[in-house]
């Protein structure tokens, strides 16, 4: 369960997301990328700069899937 997650990166900044197995890293990245599977129940809101996550913003978010 992810609760009250807040990340404030600067433009052009590269971030690393670390944590133990099962802590929600992949779920968080999937939600941010707009690729959350149906098994993930999303309550609340996802915002970028105070605005709802939109398709143009999702196009600017990139991540490498785990293997």
């Amino acid at each position: 369960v992810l609760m009250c997650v807040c990340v404030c990166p600067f433009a052009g900044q590269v971030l690393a997301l670390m944590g133990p197995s099962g802590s929600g890293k992949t779920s968080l990245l999937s939600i941010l990328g707009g690729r959350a599977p149906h098994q993930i129940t999303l309550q609340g809101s996802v915002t970028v700069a105070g605005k709802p996550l939109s398709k143009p913003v999702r196009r600017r978010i990139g991540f490498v899937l785990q293997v």
Side-chain angles (χ1 to χ4, degrees), residues 6-52:
C6 181
V7 179
C8 301
F10 295 103
Q13 184 177 16
V14 176
L15 300 175
L17 184 59
M18 300 170 23
S21 178
S23 62
K25 300 176 300 291
T26 301
S27 297
L28 176 61
L29 291 175
S30 296
I31 291 167
L32 290 175
R35 303 180 61 170
H38 294 16
Q39 300 95 308
I40 294 177
T41 302
L42 180 61
Q43 294 179 338
S45 61
V46 178
T47 60
V48 175
K51 298 178 183 163

